Amino acid sequence: MDDGVSSGLEELASLAGTWLGLSSAVPERHTAAVVADRFDRMTWRDTYEQSAALRELAEELHARLDHATDLLTDVFLAAYKTGPRLREPAEMEPSRLLSHQVVTSLVESPEFTELHRETAGDPYAAAMAVLAQAAALRGLLERTREARERAAQAQRGQQAAEDAASAVAEALRRAAEEAGQDGTVPAPAADAVRRAAEAAEAAEAAARRAAQDAAQALGAASPGVRAGARSAAAKAAEAVRQESALMRAWGVGPGELERMPFDRRARLAERLRTGRFARWAELIGRFRQMARGERVRKVENATGELVGVTLGNDLSRVIPSELAGLGLPELRAVFAVRYAAGELMLYDSQGEQSAGQGAIIACVDTSHSMYEAGPGGVTREAWAKGCALALLDQAREAGRDFVGILFSAPGRIQVFRFPAGGSAGTDRVLDFAESFLGGGTSYQTPLSAAGELLEEEFDDTSRGRGDIVMITDDDCGVTEEWMRGWNEAKRRLGFRVFGVVVGAPRVGEAGSVLEALCDNLRSVEDLTDVHAAADLFRVI
């Protein structure tokens, strides 16, 4: 540098030209890896504000990563958007390249495809996916500390280079202001331009070195990031899938979930995961699925439990193989002859006629003995409650009221009413499932309450022919006077009584009190078998 020597303005402009171009054409750099519109960002902000867990996670991760919230935003949007699109690495701020690598590895993993099926378009499920990946994200940030530090240095180097380029432009502007009419720039101003250009060159070189170091560190971290992302996606998919199964098991449909506020859905999910009956969700789901299948397969106008095949001419009970004959012209005459002779093969059945129209009432024993577990560790209570919840579905499908009566010792009952016209309410259903009275067993108390409810329904709506299902594991006596009143009520109101003995076959033996009370009685010993009560759902 020649201090004190003036220079021409054109010479200085040529010297600073490279840095002038850099300062005026700095490419736009992004902090978000996932391309998102304002509606996507609004969805994220609303979800973030509603979820204390997301805010706590962001605060925790901030100690490891200054822009932790940006990373969580990308993970959320990748799960939420139907077709997430990622920016190119060159479009990102250097400090966000690790986050870009994490999100890219996540989206490209096979496990993400399974996760995305559950979360696309569902802000709550996408938030849950973020939270389910929390441990994996912590581990990734811990293992990639060097890469993060190198990326941060690259960010600082890039900013320093841009600042230095701006300084060159500012020095040249001042030189132009001080230049004479012949273009000569005073020595101090010219020296300032030269010093700014040298500083810019040094800053640019440092930025290149920092970027190269960051790229090497990111490359070294890449295998670990990919493995961590796959693990995170797998855990998130499993967590979201389990919660979806839990909701389905308890009868909470997708439509109801979409309408449910975020905090309400979060509280419900927490209750389902941690409640008394959480471990029996799979059993309850199988019960409800079985009952749904029995409704589909139900033979219209069949009388009671299907037990085989018989001969006759009731076309409503003709077996499918007989009907198949009508598809062949040469067999139609044979079909007609057999129909006239009453020799068609029909479904045979026995038991009760599917005639119930009044309320379905499930009387569920909750005495201490119902805690006892059978095969597979399933308790008698769990089987009974699963059956009762399937009966609730049965009633709602048929447009009938449902009443759940929990009972134990004399005088101890708890009544849960679910009118046909209103929503069952998941919280109310859970209250019914999770309540337990304890103590001994009394038949008279719950059956008297059930009879009064059916009489009340008959008086209010003239609907009779209700159905009572008594689920118990214990026997007890009833008085003769009560029995006379009970039989009179059955005759007057036309209701039926079905009995289910769980885990104690002796209770339903011939000559037992329960046999005398019930029109239809069955005993269940294998409590893992939900099909043991399948015939109930064909005749109720």
Side-chain angles (χ1 to χ4, degrees):
M1 181 185 300
D2 298 322
D3 293 336
V5 178
S6 61
S7 300
L9 186 60
E10 290 185 4
E11 177 190 349
L12 294 175
S14 175
L15 175 66
T18 301
W19 316 112
L20 291 176
L22 180 63
S23 65
S24 61
V26 175
E28 182 183 6
R29 302 284 184 173
H30 295 277
T31 58
V34 180
V35 178
D37 59 29
R38 64 188 183 92
F39 298 105
D40 296 327
R41 291 189 290 272
M42 188 182 304
T43 299
W44 160 251
R45 285 195 298 271
D46 289 346
T47 304
Y48 185 79
E49 289 172 4
Q50 293 178 64
S51 174
L54 282 177
R55 296 193 300 274
E56 290 169 4
L57 177 60
E59 184 177 351
E60 177 196 342
L61 294 183
H62 188 73
R64 297 179 174 89
L65 187 68
D66 290 340
H67 50 274
T69 304
D70 288 343
L71 173 59
L72 296 184
T73 304
D74 279 331
V75 175
F76 171 87
L77 291 174
Y80 171 71
K81 287 178 65 65
T82 304
R85 182 169 67 86
L86 303 184
R87 290 190 169 88
E88 294 297 323
E91 299 178 77
M92 302 297 297
E93 291 279 7
S95 62
R96 304 307 200 272
L97 285 173
L98 178 63
S99 296
H100 183 280
Q101 189 178 75
V102 170
V103 177
T104 300
S105 299
L106 173 68
V107 171
E108 292 178 351
S109 68
E111 292 78 5
F112 179 78
T113 302
E114 182 180 354
L115 170 64
H116 197 241
R117 279 197 295 267
E118 300 284 351
T119 60
D122 186 340
Y124 175 86
M128 184 183 172
V130 174
L131 295 172
Q133 296 176 79
L137 292 175
R138 292 186 196 100
L140 279 173
L141 293 180
E142 191 63 34
R143 291 191 298 274
T144 57
R145 181 178 300 176
E146 181 181 353
R148 286 189 287 109
E149 291 174 353
R150 297 289 187 183
Q153 290 172 4
Q155 178 73 45
R156 292 191 293 271
Q158 178 182 285
Q159 187 61 53
E162 292 173 1
D163 291 343
S166 297
V168 172
E170 177 62 18
L172 186 62
R173 183 187 65 77
R174 291 179 179 175
E177 290 178 350
E178 297 179 21
Q181 291 184 349
D182 61 353
T184 302
V185 177
D191 289 343
V193 173
R194 294 189 185 94
R195 286 195 299 270
E198 290 172 358
E201 184 175 358
E204 176 65 16
R208 283 196 301 270
R209 289 193 298 272
Q212 290 170 355
D213 291 343
Q216 290 175 355
L218 286 171
S222 182
V225 169
R226 283 196 297 270
R230 289 192 64 169
S231 174
K235 290 178 181 176
E238 179 63 20
V240 174
R241 185 170 54 250
Q242 285 181 359
E243 182 163 308
S244 296
L246 202 58
M247 292 292 183
R248 286 193 299 270
W250 285 99
V252 186
E256 183 179 354
L257 289 176
E258 289 176 5
R259 296 188 298 271
M260 195 177 293
F262 185 95
D263 55 348
R264 162 87 175 85
R265 185 169 170 182
R267 287 195 303 271
L268 175 59
E270 179 66 16
R271 183 176 181 184
L272 292 180
R273 282 194 299 270
T274 61
R276 221 185 119 245
F277 248 59
R279 62 179 295 206
W280 306 120
E282 190 269 339
L283 174 73
I284 291 168
R286 286 196 292 121
F287 246 116
R288 290 179 135 161
Q289 184 177 9
M290 176 275 294
R292 189 160 51 246
E294 292 303 320
R295 285 195 293 274
V296 171
R297 289 190 292 269
K298 197 172 186 179
V299 180
E300 193 173 347
N301 298 324
T303 54
E305 181 183 2
L306 300 179
V307 295
V309 175
T310 187
L311 299 179
N313 58 7
D314 184 349
L315 295 178
S316 69
R317 294 192 288 133
V318 174
I319 68 174
S321 60
E322 287 278 34
L323 291 174
L326 291 175
L328 301 173
E330 59 271 21
L331 294 181
R332 289 172 186 166
V334 176
F335 183 93
V337 170
R338 295 181 63 193
Y339 171 73
E343 295 179 350
L344 293 174
M345 287 190 291
L346 313 176
Y347 283 117
D348 193 14
S349 57
Q350 68 178 18
E352 302 303 323
Q353 200 161 23
S354 181
Q357 292 187 0
I360 297 176
I361 301 178
C363 298
V364 180
D365 188 346
T366 59
S367 60
H368 281 308
S369 59
M370 291 292 284
Y371 275 133
E372 188 171 330
V378 179
T379 65
R380 296 171 179 180
E381 181 205 7
W383 194 99
K385 296 283 184 63
C387 184
L389 291 174
L391 288 168
L392 168 59
D393 293 345
Q394 188 88 347
R396 301 195 73 75
E397 182 72 19
R400 300 167 67 181
D401 291 348
F402 176 82
V403 181
I405 299 178
L406 306 181
F407 70 93
S408 60
R412 295 196 67 189
I413 62 171
Q414 194 169 355
V415 179
F416 295 82
R417 304 184 71 161
F418 299 90
S423 170
T426 307
D427 285 329
R428 183 71 170 160
V429 172
L430 284 168
D431 289 342
F432 169 58
E434 294 178 344
S435 297
F436 194 89
L437 301 178
T441 304
S442 167
Y443 291 169
Q444 289 185 193
T445 299
L447 291 177
S448 293
E452 289 169 5
L453 288 167
L454 291 176
E455 185 151 16
E456 176 186 318
E457 181 182 42
F458 181 79
D459 291 341
D460 291 345
T461 65
S462 298
R463 281 201 306 268
R465 299 156 67 192
D467 291 311
I468 298 173
V469 181
M470 184 78 166
I471 310 175
T472 184
D473 71 339
D474 201 0
D475 55 356
C476 65
V478 296
T479 67
E480 291 184 12
E481 181 182 359
W482 182 89
M483 194 68 176
R484 284 194 296 270
W486 175 252
N487 289 331
E488 171 57 25
K490 282 186 66 179
R491 183 195 62 77
R492 185 174 69 258
L493 300 174
F495 61 78
R496 304 176 297 179
V497 182
F498 298 84
V500 184
V501 178
V502 286
R506 61 172 182 77
V507 174
E509 290 176 349
S512 66
V513 173
L514 195 59
E515 184 191 40
L517 289 170
C518 298
D519 304 298
N520 185 306
L521 180 63
R522 77 233 347 100
S523 180
V524 179
E525 295 184 60
D526 182 358
L527 302 185
T528 64
D529 182 13
V530 299
H531 293 276
D535 63 306
L536 277 176
F537 301 94
R538 291 195 292 267
V539 298
I540 290 180

